[in-house]
Amino acid sequence: MAANRSLTLPYDPELAVSDAPLLEQSDQAEVSGSSGQSRQRPVKVLAGIFLSSLFLLTLIWTLFQGQEEPRDQAQMINANLNKSSPSSSVSPYSLIPASRGVPQGVSEKTFRGVSDANDIYPWTNAMLSWQRTSYHFQPEKHWMNDPNGPLFHMGWYHLFYQYNPDSAIWGNITWGHAVSRDLIHWLYLPFAMVPDRPFDVNGVWTGSATILPGGKIVMLYTGDTDDLVQVQNLAYPANLSDPLLLDWIKYPGNPVMIPPPGIGKKDFRDPTTAWLAPDGTKWLVTLGSKINKTGIAMVYETSDFKGYRLLDGVLHAVPHTGMWECVDFYPVSTAGDNGLDTSANGPGTKHVLKASLDDNKHDYYALGTYDPNNNKWTPDDPELDVGIGLRLDYGKYYASKTFYDQKKKRRILWGWIGETDSEAADLMKGWASVQTIPRTVVFDKKTGTNILQWPVEEAESLRFNATEFDTVKLEPGSIAPLNIGSATQLDIIASFEVDREALEATVEADVGYNCTTSGGAASRGKLGPFGLLVLADGSLSELTPVYFYISKSTDGSAETHFCSDESRSSKAPDVGKLVYGSTVPVLDGEKLSARLLVDHSVVESFAQGGRRVISSRVYPTKAIYGAARLFLFNNATGVSVTASAKIWHMQSADIRTFPDL
């Protein structure tokens, strides 16, 4: 990459930053002869490309040999949803996917949650094309995973992301780069960093940005070395006056952190955004690891981002949680609705500690108190500690990362939504994975026990053609179609009121109910399930219920569950069909409420203003394009429900390559 590329934009004094280099002149001189980053790939990567191509040719040949067309087995599911979808006829081709990522020392990147993983459904081009989202961020093609180093600079939001420029499966991890004015419409830029140095030749892995006083930017990231050791590296923009931050310089003294004694060489990764120490002169950064099966967050101290000292003890540790990846650590205001800079602390703040657990591939968080003088964070509730309590998202979601948006004084959360289909299907469609719609994060002042996540307000700019349905009465065992036309790209806000007399008259109902183990929406109880059927076809042979379910104890206390059921989402056998969900706090006087973002194969569901969130990947074969429909339903046996909904169709976001680059 040429070192002098930049885009000339009108000067704006409010966006101006210092052009002083981060490094001293002597440091700059060391890299002046190699300011551009080579795009050459290691020999092993070229071999990988060849093998991937050979595999794809073999797959195509196999699929064209004697492939059977699937039998049409669509049948109406009755109103109580108790019938499951029949199995589809599948091709005889079989493939057991290889493990990807684990041999290199990171989490598993191959989806292995398909019970019929050996059966490859005969997907058509139309089916695969429909799966691509229209307003979620994803690259033009190939594999993507973790969001990296998000930041706002000179009028542009920047997103970096783990990317394989050669294939739709994980490997050869490079930093992709895109920019946006509004977090919705994106422009692809050239790669920010490629694996081309001994300290990152096996992968430019996850990292975070820190904006220093005066506007300087530093990026810390994990590199996988030529010896397969995880180390932390420093990079910084070649030209801070470039709003697009097109070129990045890797510090010649890398690595700046190596695994300390007692930490495995493959258990040391994912540095966070740095925050100021109490003395105001040093910076602190945490990253994840483990000791035996105890997950830990370690803290390093630095004054110049080139030299680091490991602080005594750990920020926090939780036994039996395993390796902590993609740790995030940030303050939230307990008084206001604004976000806080990462260095904020003191009265009126709590700190969120979040870790992505390598052992189960979920993102957990907890609220607590941070004592920087003793390098300790303490959870408010030990029973809701990191890894054993609350999750950021109860669906297909991992490796999340936040940043402070200084433009709008808010904290923004990104998260990776991976695929839950087969690698063979991903290779056929040529891409894998999306990012969530960016979410704001605030403290839930009403409960005091959790955060609230909500789609950024800019997403509402895509809405058009609103339709409202008021006080729709849903008797037990009923389904009501919502006639809005195609239901592929939607923003839905819905509320549900349960018949109060019937609820109070119910003495006991489904004590011990659990979304994931209680049979999904087909399992009927006195007080649930009821909600929405999204991405359903007209005959209900495919459908994805997102619903509430109320359980009640003999002492009169009720517990509300929020769930998403993929078990009948597709006739294809080679896709994940899980039931996701958890309990959700509902306070006195609150209606049950949900917001759903439907975008082709992605459904993001938010309950009670964002107290609980579920991201789902669904791969229908019939409920696609104009055949996708939307319904309200009540599959409870003992209570009527009154539902109201406002539904917008959503325009497609403009996501394309930046012009003239």
Side-chain angles (χ1 to χ4, degrees), residues 529-588:
F530 53 88
L532 292 143
L533 304 178
V534 299
L535 297 176
D537 67 332
S539 66
L540 298 182
S541 65
E542 292 180 331
L543 69 163
T544 299
V546 179
Y547 57 92
F548 292 97
Y549 198 112
I550 301 173
S551 59
K552 194 173 181 182
S553 300
T554 54
D555 63 4
S557 62
E559 193 170 52
T560 303
H561 307 260
F562 183 59
C563 319
S564 179
D565 178 6
E566 300 174 350
S567 59
R568 289 170 299 283
S569 62
S570 176
K571 287 182 169 294
D574 58 338
V575 300
K577 297 178 183 178
L578 300 176
V579 182
Y580 298 118
S582 79
T583 59
V584 56
V586 180
L587 304 184
D588 290 343

Short mmCIF file of all heavy atoms in Angstrom, two decimals, residues 529-588:
data_model
loop_
_atom_site.label_atom_id
_atom_site.label_comp_id
_atom_site.label_asym_id
_atom_site.label_seq_id
_atom_site.Cartn_x
_atom_site.Cartn_y
_atom_site.Cartn_z
N PRO A 529 -46.52 -20.52 24.28
CA PRO A 529 -45.85 -19.32 23.75
C PRO A 529 -46.79 -18.43 22.94
O PRO A 529 -47.82 -18.89 22.44
CB PRO A 529 -44.79 -19.93 22.85
CG PRO A 529 -45.44 -21.17 22.32
CD PRO A 529 -46.27 -21.71 23.45
N PHE A 530 -46.41 -17.17 22.76
CA PHE A 530 -47.12 -16.25 21.89
C PHE A 530 -46.12 -15.20 21.39
O PHE A 530 -45.19 -14.84 22.09
CB PHE A 530 -48.30 -15.57 22.61
CG PHE A 530 -47.93 -14.91 23.90
CD1 PHE A 530 -47.49 -13.60 23.94
CD2 PHE A 530 -48.03 -15.61 25.10
CE1 PHE A 530 -47.14 -12.99 25.14
CE2 PHE A 530 -47.69 -15.01 26.31
CZ PHE A 530 -47.24 -13.69 26.32
N GLY A 531 -46.32 -14.76 20.15
CA GLY A 531 -45.40 -13.79 19.57
C GLY A 531 -45.57 -13.66 18.08
O GLY A 531 -46.70 -13.56 17.58
N LEU A 532 -44.46 -13.70 17.36
CA LEU A 532 -44.43 -13.48 15.91
C LEU A 532 -43.83 -14.68 15.20
O LEU A 532 -42.92 -15.34 15.72
CB LEU A 532 -43.61 -12.24 15.58
CG LEU A 532 -44.20 -10.90 16.02
CD1 LEU A 532 -43.09 -9.97 16.49
CD2 LEU A 532 -44.99 -10.27 14.89
N LEU A 533 -44.33 -14.96 14.01
CA LEU A 533 -43.72 -15.93 13.10
C LEU A 533 -43.10 -15.13 11.97
O LEU A 533 -43.81 -14.50 11.18
CB LEU A 533 -44.75 -16.90 12.55
CG LEU A 533 -45.58 -17.71 13.54
CD1 LEU A 533 -46.59 -18.59 12.80
CD2 LEU A 533 -44.69 -18.56 14.43
N VAL A 534 -41.77 -15.12 11.88
CA VAL A 534 -41.09 -14.40 10.81
C VAL A 534 -40.54 -15.40 9.80
O VAL A 534 -40.37 -16.59 10.09
CB VAL A 534 -39.95 -13.51 11.35
CG1 VAL A 534 -40.50 -12.48 12.32
CG2 VAL A 534 -38.87 -14.35 12.03
N LEU A 535 -40.29 -14.91 8.59
CA LEU A 535 -39.74 -15.72 7.51
C LEU A 535 -40.50 -17.05 7.40
O LEU A 535 -39.91 -18.14 7.36
CB LEU A 535 -38.24 -15.95 7.72
CG LEU A 535 -37.39 -14.67 7.69
CD1 LEU A 535 -35.93 -14.97 8.01
CD2 LEU A 535 -37.50 -13.98 6.33
N ALA A 536 -41.82 -16.92 7.35
CA ALA A 536 -42.70 -18.07 7.17
C ALA A 536 -43.24 -18.08 5.75
O ALA A 536 -43.45 -17.01 5.15
CB ALA A 536 -43.85 -18.01 8.17
N ASP A 537 -43.48 -19.26 5.19
CA ASP A 537 -44.16 -19.31 3.91
C ASP A 537 -45.66 -19.42 4.16
O ASP A 537 -46.12 -19.61 5.29
CB ASP A 537 -43.64 -20.46 3.05
CG ASP A 537 -43.99 -21.83 3.62
OD1 ASP A 537 -44.14 -21.94 4.85
OD2 ASP A 537 -44.11 -22.78 2.84
N GLY A 538 -46.44 -19.27 3.11
CA GLY A 538 -47.88 -19.22 3.26
C GLY A 538 -48.48 -20.48 3.84
O GLY A 538 -49.51 -20.43 4.53
N SER A 539 -47.87 -21.62 3.60
CA SER A 539 -48.39 -22.90 4.11
C SER A 539 -47.83 -23.24 5.48
O SER A 539 -48.17 -24.29 6.04
CB SER A 539 -48.06 -24.02 3.13
OG SER A 539 -46.65 -24.22 3.05
N LEU A 540 -46.96 -22.40 6.01
CA LEU A 540 -46.30 -22.63 7.31
C LEU A 540 -45.47 -23.91 7.33
O LEU A 540 -45.29 -24.53 8.37
CB LEU A 540 -47.32 -22.65 8.45
CG LEU A 540 -48.12 -21.36 8.66
CD1 LEU A 540 -49.06 -21.50 9.84
CD2 LEU A 540 -47.19 -20.18 8.85
N SER A 541 -44.93 -24.28 6.18
CA SER A 541 -44.00 -25.40 6.16
C SER A 541 -42.62 -24.97 6.65
O SER A 541 -41.82 -25.80 7.07
CB SER A 541 -43.89 -25.99 4.75
OG SER A 541 -43.32 -25.05 3.85
N GLU A 542 -42.35 -23.67 6.57
CA GLU A 542 -41.15 -23.08 7.16
C GLU A 542 -41.57 -21.85 7.95
O GLU A 542 -42.41 -21.06 7.49
CB GLU A 542 -40.12 -22.70 6.09
CG GLU A 542 -39.50 -23.88 5.37
CD GLU A 542 -38.49 -23.46 4.32
OE1 GLU A 542 -38.64 -22.34 3.75
OE2 GLU A 542 -37.57 -24.24 4.05
N LEU A 543 -41.00 -21.67 9.14
CA LEU A 543 -41.33 -20.52 9.98
C LEU A 543 -40.32 -20.40 11.09
O LEU A 543 -39.71 -21.39 11.51
CB LEU A 543 -42.74 -20.66 10.57
CG LEU A 543 -43.00 -21.73 11.62
CD1 LEU A 543 -44.29 -21.45 12.37
CD2 LEU A 543 -43.07 -23.12 10.99
N THR A 544 -40.10 -19.18 11.56
CA THR A 544 -39.20 -18.92 12.69
C THR A 544 -39.97 -18.13 13.75
O THR A 544 -40.14 -16.92 13.60
CB THR A 544 -37.95 -18.15 12.23
OG1 THR A 544 -37.24 -18.92 11.26
CG2 THR A 544 -37.03 -17.87 13.42
N PRO A 545 -40.44 -18.79 14.80
CA PRO A 545 -41.16 -18.07 15.86
C PRO A 545 -40.20 -17.32 16.78
O PRO A 545 -39.16 -17.84 17.18
CB PRO A 545 -41.86 -19.20 16.64
CG PRO A 545 -41.79 -20.41 15.75
CD PRO A 545 -40.53 -20.25 14.96
N VAL A 546 -40.55 -16.08 17.10
CA VAL A 546 -39.89 -15.29 18.14
C VAL A 546 -40.98 -14.95 19.14
O VAL A 546 -41.99 -14.33 18.78
CB VAL A 546 -39.24 -14.02 17.57
CG1 VAL A 546 -38.58 -13.20 18.68
CG2 VAL A 546 -38.22 -14.38 16.48
N TYR A 547 -40.82 -15.35 20.41
CA TYR A 547 -41.99 -15.37 21.27
C TYR A 547 -41.66 -15.18 22.75
O TYR A 547 -40.51 -15.29 23.18
CB TYR A 547 -42.74 -16.70 21.10
CG TYR A 547 -41.91 -17.93 21.37
CD1 TYR A 547 -41.87 -18.52 22.63
CD2 TYR A 547 -41.15 -18.52 20.36
CE1 TYR A 547 -41.13 -19.65 22.88
CE2 TYR A 547 -40.40 -19.65 20.58
CZ TYR A 547 -40.39 -20.22 21.86
OH TYR A 547 -39.63 -21.34 22.10
N PHE A 548 -42.72 -14.91 23.50
CA PHE A 548 -42.68 -14.87 24.96
C PHE A 548 -43.35 -16.13 25.52
O PHE A 548 -44.24 -16.71 24.88
CB PHE A 548 -43.41 -13.63 25.49
CG PHE A 548 -42.74 -12.34 25.18
CD1 PHE A 548 -43.13 -11.57 24.09
CD2 PHE A 548 -41.70 -11.87 25.98
CE1 PHE A 548 -42.52 -10.36 23.80
CE2 PHE A 548 -41.07 -10.66 25.70
CZ PHE A 548 -41.48 -9.92 24.61
N TYR A 549 -42.93 -16.49 26.70
CA TYR A 549 -43.52 -17.64 27.39
C TYR A 549 -43.48 -17.33 28.89
O TYR A 549 -42.42 -16.98 29.42
CB TYR A 549 -42.71 -18.91 27.10
CG TYR A 549 -43.40 -20.22 27.38
CD1 TYR A 549 -43.75 -21.08 26.35
CD2 TYR A 549 -43.71 -20.61 28.68
CE1 TYR A 549 -44.37 -22.30 26.60
CE2 TYR A 549 -44.33 -21.82 28.94
CZ TYR A 549 -44.66 -22.65 27.90
OH TYR A 549 -45.29 -23.86 28.14
N ILE A 550 -44.62 -17.41 29.55
CA ILE A 550 -44.71 -17.07 30.97
C ILE A 550 -44.84 -18.35 31.79
O ILE A 550 -45.69 -19.20 31.49
CB ILE A 550 -45.91 -16.14 31.24
CG1 ILE A 550 -45.78 -14.86 30.43
CG2 ILE A 550 -46.00 -15.82 32.73
CD1 ILE A 550 -47.00 -13.95 30.51
N SER A 551 -43.99 -18.48 32.78
CA SER A 551 -44.12 -19.57 33.75
C SER A 551 -44.50 -18.95 35.09
O SER A 551 -44.17 -17.79 35.36
CB SER A 551 -42.83 -20.37 33.87
OG SER A 551 -41.75 -19.54 34.26
N LYS A 552 -45.19 -19.75 35.92
CA LYS A 552 -45.70 -19.20 37.17
C LYS A 552 -45.57 -20.22 38.28
O LYS A 552 -45.90 -21.40 38.11
CB LYS A 552 -47.16 -18.78 37.01
CG LYS A 552 -47.69 -17.90 38.13
CD LYS A 552 -49.08 -17.39 37.80
CE LYS A 552 -49.60 -16.48 38.91
NZ LYS A 552 -50.98 -16.01 38.65
N SER A 553 -45.06 -19.76 39.43
CA SER A 553 -44.88 -20.63 40.59
C SER A 553 -46.12 -20.59 41.49
O SER A 553 -46.97 -19.71 41.38
CB SER A 553 -43.65 -20.20 41.39
OG SER A 553 -42.49 -20.27 40.60
N THR A 554 -46.18 -21.55 42.40
CA THR A 554 -47.33 -21.63 43.30
C THR A 554 -47.41 -20.45 44.24
O THR A 554 -48.48 -20.16 44.79
CB THR A 554 -47.26 -22.93 44.11
OG1 THR A 554 -45.98 -23.00 44.77
CG2 THR A 554 -47.43 -24.14 43.22
N ASP A 555 -46.29 -19.74 44.44
CA ASP A 555 -46.34 -18.57 45.32
C ASP A 555 -46.87 -17.33 44.59
O ASP A 555 -46.90 -16.23 45.16
CB ASP A 555 -44.95 -18.28 45.90
CG ASP A 555 -43.92 -17.94 44.84
OD1 ASP A 555 -44.27 -17.85 43.64
OD2 ASP A 555 -42.74 -17.76 45.20
N GLY A 556 -47.25 -17.50 43.33
CA GLY A 556 -47.82 -16.40 42.57
C GLY A 556 -46.84 -15.62 41.74
O GLY A 556 -47.24 -14.77 40.94
N SER A 557 -45.55 -15.88 41.90
CA SER A 557 -44.54 -15.16 41.13
C SER A 557 -44.48 -15.70 39.70
O SER A 557 -44.57 -16.90 39.46
CB SER A 557 -43.17 -15.29 41.79
OG SER A 557 -42.76 -16.63 41.83
N ALA A 558 -44.34 -14.78 38.75
CA ALA A 558 -44.27 -15.15 37.34
C ALA A 558 -42.87 -14.85 36.79
O ALA A 558 -42.19 -13.93 37.25
CB ALA A 558 -45.31 -14.39 36.54
N GLU A 559 -42.47 -15.62 35.83
CA GLU A 559 -41.18 -15.43 35.15
C GLU A 559 -41.43 -15.44 33.65
O GLU A 559 -42.11 -16.33 33.14
CB GLU A 559 -40.21 -16.55 35.54
CG GLU A 559 -38.77 -16.30 35.15
CD GLU A 559 -37.83 -17.32 35.77
OE1 GLU A 559 -38.09 -18.53 35.61
OE2 GLU A 559 -36.85 -16.91 36.42
N THR A 560 -40.90 -14.43 32.97
CA THR A 560 -41.12 -14.30 31.54
C THR A 560 -39.88 -14.74 30.77
O THR A 560 -38.75 -14.36 31.12
CB THR A 560 -41.47 -12.86 31.17
OG1 THR A 560 -42.62 -12.45 31.91
CG2 THR A 560 -41.76 -12.72 29.68
N HIS A 561 -40.09 -15.50 29.71
CA HIS A 561 -39.01 -16.00 28.87
C HIS A 561 -39.16 -15.40 27.48
O HIS A 561 -40.27 -15.19 26.98
CB HIS A 561 -39.06 -17.53 28.78
CG HIS A 561 -39.09 -18.20 30.11
ND1 HIS A 561 -37.98 -18.76 30.69
CD2 HIS A 561 -40.11 -18.40 30.98
CE1 HIS A 561 -38.30 -19.27 31.87
NE2 HIS A 561 -39.59 -19.07 32.07
N PHE A 562 -38.03 -15.12 26.85
CA PHE A 562 -38.00 -14.58 25.49
C PHE A 562 -37.16 -15.53 24.65
O PHE A 562 -36.00 -15.80 24.97
CB PHE A 562 -37.39 -13.18 25.49
CG PHE A 562 -37.39 -12.50 24.15
CD1 PHE A 562 -38.57 -12.28 23.47
CD2 PHE A 562 -36.20 -12.07 23.57
CE1 PHE A 562 -38.58 -11.63 22.24
CE2 PHE A 562 -36.19 -11.42 22.34
CZ PHE A 562 -37.38 -11.20 21.67
N CYS A 563 -37.75 -16.05 23.57
CA CYS A 563 -37.13 -17.16 22.84
C CYS A 563 -37.20 -16.95 21.32
O CYS A 563 -38.05 -16.22 20.82
CB CYS A 563 -37.84 -18.48 23.17
SG CYS A 563 -38.31 -18.73 24.90
N SER A 564 -36.31 -17.63 20.62
CA SER A 564 -36.32 -17.67 19.16
C SER A 564 -36.09 -19.11 18.73
O SER A 564 -35.11 -19.74 19.14
CB SER A 564 -35.22 -16.76 18.58
OG SER A 564 -35.20 -16.82 17.17
N ASP A 565 -37.00 -19.64 17.93
CA ASP A 565 -37.04 -21.07 17.61
C ASP A 565 -36.74 -21.28 16.13
O ASP A 565 -37.53 -20.91 15.26
CB ASP A 565 -38.43 -21.61 17.97
CG ASP A 565 -38.60 -23.08 17.64
OD1 ASP A 565 -37.62 -23.73 17.23
OD2 ASP A 565 -39.74 -23.58 17.79
N GLU A 566 -35.60 -21.91 15.84
CA GLU A 566 -35.20 -22.18 14.46
C GLU A 566 -35.56 -23.60 14.01
O GLU A 566 -35.24 -23.98 12.89
CB GLU A 566 -33.69 -22.01 14.31
CG GLU A 566 -33.15 -20.64 14.63
CD GLU A 566 -31.64 -20.59 14.60
OE1 GLU A 566 -31.02 -21.67 14.50
OE2 GLU A 566 -31.06 -19.49 14.69
N SER A 567 -36.21 -24.37 14.86
CA SER A 567 -36.36 -25.81 14.59
C SER A 567 -37.15 -26.10 13.32
O SER A 567 -36.98 -27.16 12.71
CB SER A 567 -37.00 -26.51 15.78
OG SER A 567 -38.28 -25.98 16.07
N ARG A 568 -38.03 -25.19 12.89
CA ARG A 568 -38.77 -25.38 11.64
C ARG A 568 -38.49 -24.26 10.65
O ARG A 568 -39.31 -23.94 9.79
CB ARG A 568 -40.28 -25.46 11.95
CG ARG A 568 -40.66 -26.75 12.64
CD ARG A 568 -42.08 -26.71 13.15
NE ARG A 568 -42.29 -25.64 14.12
CZ ARG A 568 -41.90 -25.71 15.40
NH1 ARG A 568 -41.29 -26.78 15.84
NH2 ARG A 568 -42.12 -24.70 16.22
N SER A 569 -37.32 -23.65 10.78
CA SER A 569 -36.98 -22.49 9.94
C SER A 569 -36.63 -22.87 8.51
O SER A 569 -36.67 -22.02 7.62
CB SER A 569 -35.81 -21.72 10.55
OG SER A 569 -34.65 -22.55 10.62
N SER A 570 -36.27 -24.13 8.27
CA SER A 570 -35.80 -24.53 6.94
C SER A 570 -36.03 -26.02 6.74
O SER A 570 -35.95 -26.81 7.69
CB SER A 570 -34.31 -24.22 6.79
OG SER A 570 -33.81 -24.68 5.56
N LYS A 571 -36.29 -26.38 5.50
CA LYS A 571 -36.38 -27.80 5.16
C LYS A 571 -35.00 -28.42 4.94
O LYS A 571 -34.88 -29.63 4.88
CB LYS A 571 -37.23 -27.97 3.89
CG LYS A 571 -38.71 -27.75 4.12
CD LYS A 571 -39.49 -27.99 2.85
CE LYS A 571 -40.98 -28.05 3.16
NZ LYS A 571 -41.32 -29.21 3.99
N ALA A 572 -33.98 -27.58 4.83
CA ALA A 572 -32.63 -28.10 4.61
C ALA A 572 -32.12 -28.77 5.88
O ALA A 572 -32.26 -28.23 6.98
CB ALA A 572 -31.69 -26.97 4.20
N PRO A 573 -31.49 -29.94 5.76
CA PRO A 573 -30.99 -30.63 6.95
C PRO A 573 -29.61 -30.16 7.40
O PRO A 573 -29.20 -30.44 8.52
CB PRO A 573 -30.93 -32.09 6.50
CG PRO A 573 -30.62 -32.00 5.04
CD PRO A 573 -31.34 -30.77 4.54
N ASP A 574 -28.89 -29.43 6.53
CA ASP A 574 -27.50 -29.09 6.83
C ASP A 574 -27.36 -27.67 7.37
O ASP A 574 -26.40 -26.96 7.06
CB ASP A 574 -26.62 -29.29 5.60
CG ASP A 574 -27.07 -28.47 4.39
OD1 ASP A 574 -28.25 -28.09 4.35
OD2 ASP A 574 -26.24 -28.24 3.49
N VAL A 575 -28.32 -27.23 8.18
CA VAL A 575 -28.26 -25.92 8.83
C VAL A 575 -28.60 -26.09 10.30
O VAL A 575 -29.29 -27.03 10.70
CB VAL A 575 -29.22 -24.91 8.17
CG1 VAL A 575 -28.88 -24.72 6.70
CG2 VAL A 575 -30.67 -25.32 8.34
N GLY A 576 -28.13 -25.14 11.12
CA GLY A 576 -28.45 -25.18 12.53
C GLY A 576 -29.92 -24.87 12.77
O GLY A 576 -30.50 -24.01 12.11
N LYS A 577 -30.52 -25.59 13.71
CA LYS A 577 -31.94 -25.39 14.02
C LYS A 577 -32.10 -25.44 15.54
O LYS A 577 -32.72 -26.34 16.10
CB LYS A 577 -32.80 -26.45 13.35
CG LYS A 577 -32.76 -26.40 11.82
CD LYS A 577 -33.60 -27.49 11.19
CE LYS A 577 -33.48 -27.45 9.67
NZ LYS A 577 -34.26 -28.54 9.02
N LEU A 578 -31.54 -24.43 16.19
CA LEU A 578 -31.55 -24.37 17.64
C LEU A 578 -32.71 -23.51 18.14
O LEU A 578 -33.30 -22.73 17.40
CB LEU A 578 -30.24 -23.79 18.15
CG LEU A 578 -28.97 -24.57 17.76
CD1 LEU A 578 -27.73 -23.82 18.25
CD2 LEU A 578 -29.00 -25.98 18.32
N VAL A 579 -33.01 -23.67 19.41
CA VAL A 579 -33.94 -22.78 20.10
C VAL A 579 -33.11 -21.96 21.08
O VAL A 579 -32.43 -22.51 21.94
CB VAL A 579 -35.04 -23.55 20.84
CG1 VAL A 579 -36.01 -22.57 21.50
CG2 VAL A 579 -35.79 -24.48 19.89
N TYR A 580 -33.14 -20.64 20.92
CA TYR A 580 -32.37 -19.73 21.74
C TYR A 580 -33.27 -19.01 22.73
O TYR A 580 -34.48 -18.90 22.53
CB TYR A 580 -31.69 -18.66 20.88
CG TYR A 580 -30.70 -19.15 19.86
CD1 TYR A 580 -30.92 -18.92 18.50
CD2 TYR A 580 -29.53 -19.79 20.25
CE1 TYR A 580 -29.99 -19.32 17.55
CE2 TYR A 580 -28.60 -20.20 19.30
CZ TYR A 580 -28.84 -19.96 17.95
OH TYR A 580 -27.91 -20.35 17.01
N GLY A 581 -32.67 -18.45 23.78
CA GLY A 581 -33.43 -17.55 24.63
C GLY A 581 -33.04 -17.59 26.08
O GLY A 581 -32.13 -18.32 26.50
N SER A 582 -33.76 -16.80 26.89
CA SER A 582 -33.49 -16.71 28.32
C SER A 582 -34.70 -16.05 28.99
O SER A 582 -35.64 -15.61 28.33
CB SER A 582 -32.24 -15.88 28.60
OG SER A 582 -32.52 -14.49 28.51
N THR A 583 -34.64 -15.95 30.30
CA THR A 583 -35.61 -15.13 31.00
C THR A 583 -35.33 -13.66 30.71
O THR A 583 -34.21 -13.29 30.35
CB THR A 583 -35.54 -15.37 32.52
OG1 THR A 583 -34.21 -15.05 32.97
CG2 THR A 583 -35.87 -16.81 32.87
N VAL A 584 -36.34 -12.82 30.88
CA VAL A 584 -36.19 -11.39 30.68
C VAL A 584 -36.94 -10.67 31.80
O VAL A 584 -38.08 -11.00 32.10
CB VAL A 584 -36.70 -10.94 29.29
CG1 VAL A 584 -38.15 -11.35 29.07
CG2 VAL A 584 -36.53 -9.44 29.11
N PRO A 585 -36.30 -9.69 32.46
CA PRO A 585 -37.00 -8.93 33.51
C PRO A 585 -38.16 -8.13 32.92
O PRO A 585 -38.00 -7.43 31.91
CB PRO A 585 -35.92 -8.00 34.07
CG PRO A 585 -34.62 -8.62 33.66
CD PRO A 585 -34.89 -9.28 32.35
N VAL A 586 -39.32 -8.23 33.55
CA VAL A 586 -40.49 -7.44 33.18
C VAL A 586 -41.00 -6.79 34.46
O VAL A 586 -41.38 -7.49 35.41
CB VAL A 586 -41.59 -8.30 32.54
CG1 VAL A 586 -42.80 -7.43 32.17
CG2 VAL A 586 -41.07 -9.02 31.30
N LEU A 587 -41.00 -5.48 34.50
CA LEU A 587 -41.38 -4.76 35.71
C LEU A 587 -42.89 -4.51 35.75
O LEU A 587 -43.58 -4.57 34.73
CB LEU A 587 -40.62 -3.44 35.78
CG LEU A 587 -39.09 -3.54 35.70
CD1 LEU A 587 -38.46 -2.17 35.87
CD2 LEU A 587 -38.55 -4.52 36.72
N ASP A 588 -43.40 -4.24 36.95
CA ASP A 588 -44.83 -3.97 37.12
C ASP A 588 -45.25 -2.81 36.21
O ASP A 588 -44.59 -1.77 36.14
CB ASP A 588 -45.13 -3.60 38.57
CG ASP A 588 -45.00 -4.79 39.51
OD1 ASP A 588 -45.01 -5.93 39.01
OD2 ASP A 588 -44.88 -4.57 40.73
#
